[in-house]
Every structure is written in structure tokens, then in C-alpha cells.
Amino acid sequence: MDKQNITVLGIESSCDDTSAAIIRDGVILSNVVAGQKVHEEFGGVVPELASRAHQQNIIPVVDRAIKRAGVEKESISAVAFTNGPGLLGSLLVGTSFAKGFSLASGIPMVEVNHLKGHVLALFIRENGVEFNPPKFPFLCLLVSGGNSQIILVKDYLEMEVIGQTIDDAAGEAFDKCAKVIGLPYPGGPHVDKLAKLGDPSKFVFSQPRIPDLNYSFSGLKTNFLYFLRDNLRENENFITENINDLCASLQFTIIEILLKKLKKAAKQTGIREIAVAGGVSANSGLREALKQTAVKQHWNLYIPKFEYTMDNAAMIAITGYYKFLKGEFARQDIVPFAHTQL
Ligand code: KG4
């Protein structure tokens, strides 16, 4: 197939961000993301409200993405959409939109696994920016609100999970611990900000002892909660007086846990091409720690641009592009899945 002028419209609606993006021949032309403020007062995503907001957002977001890209609707070759994992009601909105767009335009649909999308965000090219993607095979630490995995990436669409969390994800650990110290949802970015002002060695929290390349964050969460409970008994202002140090120490522990297994995976596989992806890879402490580890371990490190680490449709469009090249299309009777594996 001729690889020129393949224009993919990507749709992402797996959680609480409605996003649409246009990618032509692997180069990003637009990436529009509409967040949903409606969840803030609930301290977490309310699935029913999320799907309603997606319904309101999807058409204006797609319209904006097409206009911003400066392409004609008729020039779009395929529509790629997230079909899981995610919230079922949210996924249904994107999937239904993709079906309608595909039928109305007479173009194929491409289903995209959200987690693969996070990994392939590393391959989004930007006009005028040097393109330096990881070389296969590489290891990708995928850390988001729903996942913490170490993935062996053998090719664009050939990936193997070699380690993963057995309970909570790293993003959940950030968000749930942030909630108990009164920070707004999602807590990860707030912890990141306050951690910059605190002492990471002030408090010591527990780290899991589990075999292989797997992760666990539920013990840390419980340890953090009990630690606060005990200290609040003696000083009711403990949290406010120590919030920066609490954030710095919590963040330090999460990063230690993540890096320990990543180093082990690199050693076991002998791979030095190391990448990071997913929302938590926006964390400034994690980025810095990865850079320092890369120097010590002689890794080639790849970190996606900030806007491609969070949920976004550019990563769905780029994955759709590679699937399009392989002729992997979805049928009109496809349904989304809340719990799909990579
Ligand atoms: O990839 P993402 O946007 O959504 C999922 O697919 O889960 O990741 C969202 C997660 C949330 O848990 C959020 O708190 C976390 O990424 N996050 C961060 C930071 N920015 C986002 N965690 C720590 N530090 C950050 N700067």
C-alpha cells in the first residue's frame, strides 16, 4: 500500500477526556483535548457523568481537530478509536461516533487498545522537530491512573507485558494518597508540585517485596493512611504542617518502587533502550530520576512530550496509522471492552 497521504482521525474517550486528533503519514496535524471539570467536586471520575460529557463534547472536539489540522473531511483515510480498556459508557461514545463517521464517510475504522496507544505516543512525529524514537526491542514503563506495567516492545504492534501491578496502579497511589491529605482530584500533579518544596527523606514509607517484575502499591497506600492516622492523633495539624514533606516522601517512594523493577527488567533482558509512557510519566521527579538512572545504567532514554503522556487522541491516531498500514480494520459490529489486555 502507498504510505503517502494516509490521514487518520483519532478518537479517545476512555475515561474523562474527550479528544480528537489528525495524523497524516505519522506527522501530527492537530490534537484537541477537552477535559471534564464536572468530576472535581466528587474527588474522582463519576462514570455516568463522564459519558454524558463525552456526548456533549465529541462533535465540537472532532470539528475543531479537523479545522485545526487544515484538512478536508473528505481526505481522511480512516477513523481510529479507543475500544478499551476504560469506562464502558465513555468508550461507547467514542466507538459509536467512529462507527457513524466511518459509515457516513465510507472509510474504514481501526480499533485501538488504549495501552498500546500510550506506548506508540513515542512515535508521534512533529513537523520541524527532530524525530528520535526508540529502537526495537525496547522496554516501556507504562504508568497511568489505571496501569503500571513494564512492556517489552518488539515492534509497533507486537508488545509483551513482562511485569505489572498486582493491585493498584502508580497513578492510583498518587491520587488516593493525595485525597487523604486533602488535595483535589487528580492528585498526582498536585503532589508533584508540592514535592518540589519538600524533603523526600523526611518520612519513610513501606515498599513492597513481591517477586518477578511485578508491582504493588496497595501496601504503600495503607501505610500512608495509618501513618497519617497515628500522627494526627498527636497533632491535629500534622498534615498542614508537613504537606510538602509528605508529598516529597510519598513521591520518592513511588519512584523508588517503579525504578527498582525497571532496572531489574533491563538487567534481565539486556535491553538498554528504555522508554516511559502514560499520565504518571508527566511527574517531574520521575523524569529526573529516570534521567539520572539512564546516565548510570547507560540507557538510551525516551520520554514523550508532555501533551502526549496524558490521555489524548494523537496516540490513538498514530496507533491507528500503524494498524492501517498493516490493513488491520475493525468491523461495524465491534463493541468496546472495559477490561482488555494489551
Ligand atoms: O494516562 P492518564 O492520563 O490516564 C489513564 O489512562 O489512566 O493518567 C492519569 C494519571 C492520574 O492518576 C494522574 O494523577 C497521574 O496520571 N498524573 C501524575 C502527574 N500528572 C498526571 N502523577 C504524578 N505526577 C504528575 N505530574
Short mmCIF file of all heavy atoms in Angstrom, two decimals, residues 138-181:
data_model
loop_
_atom_site.label_atom_id
_atom_site.label_comp_id
_atom_site.label_asym_id
_atom_site.label_seq_id
_atom_site.Cartn_x
_atom_site.Cartn_y
_atom_site.Cartn_z
N PHE A 138 12.50 -2.46 22.73
CA PHE A 138 12.77 -1.58 23.87
C PHE A 138 11.82 -1.91 25.01
O PHE A 138 10.82 -2.62 24.84
CB PHE A 138 12.68 -0.11 23.45
CG PHE A 138 11.32 0.39 23.03
CD1 PHE A 138 10.44 0.93 23.96
CD2 PHE A 138 10.92 0.34 21.69
CE1 PHE A 138 9.20 1.41 23.56
CE2 PHE A 138 9.68 0.83 21.30
CZ PHE A 138 8.80 1.36 22.23
N LEU A 139 12.17 -1.41 26.20
CA LEU A 139 11.30 -1.60 27.36
C LEU A 139 10.55 -0.31 27.60
O LEU A 139 11.14 0.78 27.52
CB LEU A 139 12.12 -1.93 28.61
CG LEU A 139 12.87 -3.26 28.62
CD1 LEU A 139 13.64 -3.42 29.93
CD2 LEU A 139 11.90 -4.44 28.45
N CYS A 140 9.27 -0.42 27.88
CA CYS A 140 8.49 0.78 28.17
C CYS A 140 7.83 0.64 29.55
O CYS A 140 7.12 -0.33 29.81
CB CYS A 140 7.42 1.00 27.09
SG CYS A 140 6.50 2.52 27.35
N LEU A 141 8.12 1.59 30.40
CA LEU A 141 7.43 1.66 31.69
C LEU A 141 6.15 2.45 31.47
O LEU A 141 6.20 3.65 31.20
CB LEU A 141 8.34 2.37 32.71
CG LEU A 141 7.70 2.64 34.07
CD1 LEU A 141 7.45 1.35 34.84
CD2 LEU A 141 8.57 3.57 34.91
N LEU A 142 5.03 1.75 31.52
CA LEU A 142 3.74 2.41 31.29
C LEU A 142 3.07 2.68 32.63
O LEU A 142 2.69 1.73 33.33
CB LEU A 142 2.85 1.53 30.40
CG LEU A 142 1.40 2.00 30.22
CD1 LEU A 142 1.35 3.40 29.62
CD2 LEU A 142 0.63 1.04 29.34
N VAL A 143 3.00 3.93 33.00
CA VAL A 143 2.46 4.28 34.31
C VAL A 143 1.32 5.29 34.16
O VAL A 143 1.55 6.43 33.76
CB VAL A 143 3.55 4.85 35.26
CG1 VAL A 143 4.21 3.74 36.04
CG2 VAL A 143 4.60 5.67 34.51
N SER A 144 0.11 4.85 34.48
CA SER A 144 -1.03 5.76 34.34
C SER A 144 -1.96 5.59 35.53
O SER A 144 -1.60 4.97 36.53
CB SER A 144 -1.77 5.47 33.03
OG SER A 144 -2.37 4.21 33.11
N GLY A 145 -3.17 6.16 35.41
CA GLY A 145 -4.12 6.06 36.51
C GLY A 145 -4.64 4.64 36.69
O GLY A 145 -5.08 4.25 37.76
N GLY A 146 -4.61 3.87 35.62
CA GLY A 146 -5.17 2.51 35.70
C GLY A 146 -4.14 1.41 35.53
O GLY A 146 -4.48 0.24 35.70
N ASN A 147 -2.90 1.77 35.19
CA ASN A 147 -1.92 0.73 34.89
C ASN A 147 -0.51 1.07 35.37
O ASN A 147 -0.12 2.23 35.36
CB ASN A 147 -1.83 0.51 33.37
CG ASN A 147 -3.06 -0.18 32.86
OD1 ASN A 147 -3.16 -1.40 32.92
ND2 ASN A 147 -4.01 0.60 32.40
N SER A 148 0.20 0.04 35.75
CA SER A 148 1.65 0.15 35.97
C SER A 148 2.24 -1.11 35.39
O SER A 148 2.04 -2.20 35.95
CB SER A 148 1.99 0.24 37.45
OG SER A 148 1.43 1.41 37.98
N GLN A 149 2.89 -0.99 34.26
CA GLN A 149 3.38 -2.18 33.57
C GLN A 149 4.78 -1.94 33.01
O GLN A 149 5.13 -0.81 32.70
CB GLN A 149 2.48 -2.49 32.36
CG GLN A 149 1.03 -2.77 32.71
CD GLN A 149 0.20 -3.13 31.49
OE1 GLN A 149 0.41 -2.59 30.41
NE2 GLN A 149 -0.74 -4.03 31.67
N ILE A 150 5.52 -3.03 32.90
CA ILE A 150 6.77 -2.97 32.13
C ILE A 150 6.49 -3.79 30.87
O ILE A 150 6.12 -4.97 30.95
CB ILE A 150 7.96 -3.55 32.91
CG1 ILE A 150 8.17 -2.74 34.20
CG2 ILE A 150 9.22 -3.50 32.05
CD1 ILE A 150 9.26 -3.27 35.10
N ILE A 151 6.63 -3.13 29.73
CA ILE A 151 6.27 -3.77 28.47
C ILE A 151 7.51 -3.96 27.60
O ILE A 151 8.30 -3.01 27.44
CB ILE A 151 5.23 -2.90 27.71
CG1 ILE A 151 3.98 -2.71 28.58
CG2 ILE A 151 4.85 -3.51 26.38
CD1 ILE A 151 3.05 -1.62 28.08
N LEU A 152 7.64 -5.16 27.08
CA LEU A 152 8.70 -5.43 26.11
C LEU A 152 8.10 -5.15 24.74
O LEU A 152 7.17 -5.84 24.31
CB LEU A 152 9.15 -6.90 26.25
CG LEU A 152 10.08 -7.43 25.17
CD1 LEU A 152 11.39 -6.62 25.10
CD2 LEU A 152 10.42 -8.90 25.44
N VAL A 153 8.60 -4.11 24.08
CA VAL A 153 8.02 -3.69 22.79
C VAL A 153 8.92 -4.23 21.68
O VAL A 153 10.06 -3.78 21.51
CB VAL A 153 7.89 -2.16 22.70
CG1 VAL A 153 7.12 -1.76 21.45
CG2 VAL A 153 7.21 -1.60 23.94
N LYS A 154 8.39 -5.21 20.95
CA LYS A 154 9.21 -5.87 19.92
C LYS A 154 9.06 -5.20 18.56
O LYS A 154 9.95 -5.25 17.72
CB LYS A 154 8.81 -7.34 19.81
CG LYS A 154 9.02 -8.10 21.14
CD LYS A 154 8.38 -9.47 21.08
CE LYS A 154 8.38 -10.11 22.46
NZ LYS A 154 7.56 -11.31 22.53
N ASP A 155 7.88 -4.64 18.34
CA ASP A 155 7.61 -3.94 17.08
C ASP A 155 6.43 -3.00 17.35
O ASP A 155 5.86 -3.04 18.44
CB ASP A 155 7.27 -4.95 15.98
CG ASP A 155 7.53 -4.36 14.59
OD1 ASP A 155 7.78 -3.14 14.50
OD2 ASP A 155 7.47 -5.11 13.60
N TYR A 156 6.03 -2.20 16.34
CA TYR A 156 4.95 -1.24 16.59
C TYR A 156 3.74 -1.88 17.26
O TYR A 156 3.17 -1.32 18.18
CB TYR A 156 4.50 -0.59 15.28
CG TYR A 156 5.57 0.26 14.64
CD1 TYR A 156 6.21 -0.17 13.48
CD2 TYR A 156 5.93 1.48 15.19
CE1 TYR A 156 7.20 0.60 12.89
CE2 TYR A 156 6.93 2.26 14.62
CZ TYR A 156 7.55 1.81 13.47
OH TYR A 156 8.53 2.57 12.91
N LEU A 157 3.37 -3.04 16.77
CA LEU A 157 2.13 -3.63 17.28
C LEU A 157 2.36 -4.94 18.03
O LEU A 157 1.42 -5.64 18.38
CB LEU A 157 1.15 -3.85 16.11
CG LEU A 157 0.78 -2.57 15.35
CD1 LEU A 157 0.00 -2.89 14.09
CD2 LEU A 157 -0.01 -1.61 16.24
N GLU A 158 3.63 -5.25 18.27
CA GLU A 158 3.95 -6.50 18.97
C GLU A 158 4.55 -6.19 20.34
O GLU A 158 5.70 -5.75 20.43
CB GLU A 158 4.94 -7.31 18.13
CG GLU A 158 4.87 -8.78 18.41
CD GLU A 158 5.98 -9.53 17.70
OE1 GLU A 158 6.36 -9.12 16.58
OE2 GLU A 158 6.49 -10.49 18.28
N MET A 159 3.74 -6.36 21.37
CA MET A 159 4.17 -5.98 22.71
C MET A 159 3.85 -7.10 23.69
O MET A 159 2.86 -7.79 23.55
CB MET A 159 3.44 -4.71 23.16
CG MET A 159 3.59 -3.57 22.18
SD MET A 159 2.77 -2.08 22.78
CE MET A 159 2.85 -1.05 21.30
N GLU A 160 4.72 -7.24 24.70
CA GLU A 160 4.52 -8.27 25.73
C GLU A 160 4.68 -7.64 27.11
O GLU A 160 5.69 -6.97 27.37
CB GLU A 160 5.57 -9.37 25.53
CG GLU A 160 5.39 -10.55 26.43
CD GLU A 160 6.60 -11.51 26.36
OE1 GLU A 160 7.33 -11.49 25.35
OE2 GLU A 160 6.81 -12.24 27.33
N VAL A 161 3.68 -7.86 27.96
CA VAL A 161 3.77 -7.33 29.33
C VAL A 161 4.64 -8.28 30.14
O VAL A 161 4.33 -9.46 30.27
CB VAL A 161 2.36 -7.24 29.97
CG1 VAL A 161 2.46 -6.74 31.41
CG2 VAL A 161 1.48 -6.30 29.15
N ILE A 162 5.78 -7.77 30.65
CA ILE A 162 6.67 -8.67 31.40
C ILE A 162 6.61 -8.39 32.91
O ILE A 162 7.19 -9.11 33.70
CB ILE A 162 8.13 -8.60 30.87
CG1 ILE A 162 8.68 -7.17 30.93
CG2 ILE A 162 8.22 -9.16 29.47
CD1 ILE A 162 10.18 -7.10 30.62
N GLY A 163 5.89 -7.35 33.28
CA GLY A 163 5.69 -7.06 34.70
C GLY A 163 4.51 -6.12 34.83
O GLY A 163 4.30 -5.27 33.96
N GLN A 164 3.72 -6.30 35.90
CA GLN A 164 2.60 -5.38 36.07
C GLN A 164 2.13 -5.35 37.51
O GLN A 164 2.47 -6.23 38.29
CB GLN A 164 1.44 -5.73 35.15
CG GLN A 164 0.83 -7.09 35.37
CD GLN A 164 -0.20 -7.38 34.29
OE1 GLN A 164 -0.91 -6.50 33.84
NE2 GLN A 164 -0.28 -8.62 33.87
N THR A 165 1.32 -4.35 37.83
CA THR A 165 0.85 -4.25 39.21
C THR A 165 -0.14 -5.37 39.51
O THR A 165 -0.94 -5.76 38.65
CB THR A 165 0.21 -2.88 39.50
OG1 THR A 165 -0.16 -2.85 40.88
CG2 THR A 165 -0.99 -2.60 38.64
N ILE A 166 -0.04 -5.86 40.75
CA ILE A 166 -0.97 -6.92 41.15
C ILE A 166 -2.17 -6.31 41.89
O ILE A 166 -3.10 -7.01 42.25
CB ILE A 166 -0.29 -7.99 42.03
CG1 ILE A 166 0.31 -7.35 43.30
CG2 ILE A 166 0.76 -8.75 41.24
CD1 ILE A 166 0.68 -8.37 44.36
N ASP A 167 -2.12 -5.00 42.12
CA ASP A 167 -3.27 -4.34 42.76
C ASP A 167 -3.45 -2.93 42.18
O ASP A 167 -3.91 -2.79 41.05
CB ASP A 167 -3.13 -4.33 44.29
CG ASP A 167 -1.71 -4.01 44.75
OD1 ASP A 167 -1.21 -2.94 44.38
OD2 ASP A 167 -1.13 -4.80 45.51
N ASP A 168 -3.09 -1.90 42.92
CA ASP A 168 -3.30 -0.53 42.43
C ASP A 168 -2.24 -0.12 41.40
O ASP A 168 -1.15 -0.69 41.36
CB ASP A 168 -3.20 0.47 43.60
CG ASP A 168 -4.38 0.34 44.55
OD1 ASP A 168 -5.35 -0.34 44.19
OD2 ASP A 168 -4.32 0.93 45.64
N ALA A 169 -2.57 0.89 40.62
CA ALA A 169 -1.60 1.47 39.69
C ALA A 169 -0.86 2.61 40.39
O ALA A 169 -1.31 3.13 41.41
CB ALA A 169 -2.33 2.00 38.47
N ALA A 170 0.27 3.01 39.82
CA ALA A 170 1.06 4.10 40.42
C ALA A 170 0.24 5.40 40.49
O ALA A 170 0.28 6.12 41.48
CB ALA A 170 2.33 4.31 39.60
N GLY A 171 -0.53 5.66 39.42
CA GLY A 171 -1.36 6.87 39.40
C GLY A 171 -2.41 6.85 40.50
O GLY A 171 -2.71 7.87 41.12
N GLU A 172 -2.94 5.64 40.74
CA GLU A 172 -3.93 5.48 41.82
C GLU A 172 -3.28 5.77 43.17
O GLU A 172 -3.91 6.37 44.04
CB GLU A 172 -4.42 4.03 41.83
CG GLU A 172 -5.76 3.82 41.22
CD GLU A 172 -6.08 2.33 41.21
OE1 GLU A 172 -5.33 1.57 40.57
OE2 GLU A 172 -7.08 1.95 41.84
N ALA A 173 -2.05 5.31 43.35
CA ALA A 173 -1.33 5.55 44.61
C ALA A 173 -1.17 7.06 44.81
O ALA A 173 -1.43 7.59 45.89
CB ALA A 173 0.02 4.85 44.59
N PHE A 174 -0.79 7.76 43.75
CA PHE A 174 -0.68 9.23 43.84
C PHE A 174 -2.04 9.83 44.20
O PHE A 174 -2.15 10.63 45.13
CB PHE A 174 -0.23 9.81 42.49
CG PHE A 174 1.25 9.94 42.33
CD1 PHE A 174 1.96 9.14 41.44
CD2 PHE A 174 1.96 10.89 43.05
CE1 PHE A 174 3.34 9.27 41.29
CE2 PHE A 174 3.34 11.04 42.90
CZ PHE A 174 4.03 10.21 42.02
N ASP A 175 -3.07 9.43 43.45
CA ASP A 175 -4.38 10.07 43.60
C ASP A 175 -5.04 9.77 44.94
O ASP A 175 -5.63 10.65 45.57
CB ASP A 175 -5.32 9.64 42.46
CG ASP A 175 -4.82 10.11 41.10
OD1 ASP A 175 -3.97 11.03 41.07
OD2 ASP A 175 -5.27 9.58 40.08
N LYS A 176 -4.94 8.49 45.38
CA LYS A 176 -5.62 8.12 46.63
C LYS A 176 -4.91 8.72 47.84
O LYS A 176 -5.55 9.17 48.78
CB LYS A 176 -5.72 6.60 46.74
CG LYS A 176 -6.75 6.03 45.75
CD LYS A 176 -6.84 4.53 45.83
CE LYS A 176 -7.91 4.01 44.87
NZ LYS A 176 -7.84 2.56 44.71
N CYS A 177 -3.59 8.72 47.82
CA CYS A 177 -2.84 9.32 48.94
C CYS A 177 -3.07 10.84 48.95
O CYS A 177 -3.20 11.45 50.01
CB CYS A 177 -1.36 9.01 48.84
SG CYS A 177 -1.00 7.26 49.13
N ALA A 178 -3.15 11.43 47.75
CA ALA A 178 -3.38 12.88 47.66
C ALA A 178 -4.74 13.23 48.26
O ALA A 178 -4.90 14.24 48.95
CB ALA A 178 -3.33 13.32 46.20
N LYS A 179 -5.71 12.35 48.03
CA LYS A 179 -7.07 12.59 48.52
C LYS A 179 -7.08 12.64 50.06
O LYS A 179 -7.73 13.51 50.64
CB LYS A 179 -7.99 11.48 48.01
CG LYS A 179 -9.45 11.77 48.18
CD LYS A 179 -10.30 10.73 47.51
CE LYS A 179 -11.77 10.97 47.79
NZ LYS A 179 -12.63 9.99 47.16
N VAL A 180 -6.34 11.72 50.70
CA VAL A 180 -6.39 11.69 52.17
C VAL A 180 -5.66 12.89 52.79
O VAL A 180 -5.86 13.20 53.96
CB VAL A 180 -5.87 10.36 52.79
CG1 VAL A 180 -6.76 9.22 52.43
CG2 VAL A 180 -4.43 10.06 52.43
N ILE A 181 -4.82 13.58 52.02
CA ILE A 181 -4.21 14.80 52.58
C ILE A 181 -4.92 16.05 52.04
O ILE A 181 -4.40 17.16 52.12
CB ILE A 181 -2.67 14.86 52.37
CG1 ILE A 181 -2.28 14.66 50.90
CG2 ILE A 181 -1.97 13.86 53.26
CD1 ILE A 181 -0.80 14.86 50.63
#
